[in-house]
Amino acid sequence: KVANRVLCGMGFIVLHSGHLSKPFIKLMGTSCTLRWRDGDFERLWTVMPGHPIAIGIEDYIELEHEEMYGEMFDIPQPDELVFLGWFRGGEVFRAGCCFYRGIGKVFYFQPGHEFYPTYHDPGIQKIIYNSVRWAYPNKSVDELSCPWIEHSPESIRSNRIAEGKT
């Protein structure tokens, strides 16, 4: 259902280990597997500084401790690569990837392991804030005109009840 909503215009932000979530795997059409190891220093490079998600972000953000995710990351070629992670061990990773699916937008962002204070970093917070603004639908989507949503009378009725329209 989440993947269908994205196809119909909903934005979807996938953080860190969410790369293995069912909706992300379905939207990517791949296994979304990657290499990983325990924590390491990461330098998160801004490689597309003009992108709306990168507004207000410096050339790079340094994270003293972050779980290492490395290539090969089994995802399709991103429509836009905004951030690239580099780890002290020499690994690199496509750390901030944008995808357009149907009429929805998907942003995958690698930093954020729960053992490290990644989400307290002001730059990381700004990236997440910007990604929500970027992924927000440009216009209201009429659910009935979306070919990826089930349109049985019962599903329409239950959706309208959930939205308080009936």
Side-chain angles (χ1 to χ4, degrees):
K1 288 181 180 183
V2 171
N4 287 341
R5 294 289 182 182
V6 171
L7 295 173
C8 291
M10 181 179 86
F12 187 42
I13 313 298
V14 181
L15 300 176
H16 194 61
S17 59
H19 68 93
L20 290 177
S21 67
K22 290 177 184 179
F24 188 65
I25 290 170
K26 183 171 182 162
L27 289 163
M28 296 300 105
T30 62
S31 71
C32 300
T33 57
L34 48 80
R35 292 181 51 220
W36 69 272
R37 65 178 167 77
D38 287 338
D40 194 356
F41 170 88
E42 179 179 9
R43 180 171 290 150
L44 184 68
W45 288 96
T46 304
V47 295
M48 195 173 182
H51 194 279
I53 296 175
I55 301 249
I57 303 302
E58 299 295 327
D59 291 341
Y60 59 85
I61 295 171
E62 291 186 339
L63 302 169
E64 281 302 314
H65 299 286
E66 184 58 56
E67 183 177 36
M68 191 290 295
Y69 279 11
E71 299 293 340
M72 164 65 190
F73 185 19
D74 185 25
I75 57 171
Q77 179 70 32
D79 294 310
E80 297 158 341
L81 179 62
V82 185
F83 302 102
L84 180 69
W86 171 85
F87 293 87
R88 194 167 276 144
E91 300 89 354
V92 295
F93 190 73
R94 292 170 286 167
C97 304
C98 297
F99 301 92
Y100 297 91
R101 294 294 185 263
I103 57 175
K105 298 175 186 177
V106 177
F107 179 62
Y108 171 76
F109 191 52
Q110 167 265 319
H113 193 271
E114 66 273 13
F115 291 159
Y116 306 118
T118 305
Y119 294 131
H120 296 280
D121 183 282
I124 300 298
Q125 291 175 358
K126 179 73 172 166
I127 290 168
I128 294 170
Y129 173 83
N130 289 349
S131 71
V132 171
R133 291 180 58 88
W134 171 82
Y136 190 82
N138 294 331
K139 60 181 179 178
S140 177
V141 178
D142 179 2
E143 183 174 292
L144 295 176
S145 68
C146 183
W148 298 285
I149 295 290
E150 178 189 343
H151 297 301
S152 69
E154 184 52 38
S155 71
I156 292 169
R157 183 179 179 309
S158 64
N159 288 339
R160 291 191 178 284
I161 288 170
E163 295 170 2
K165 294 180 180 175
T166 302

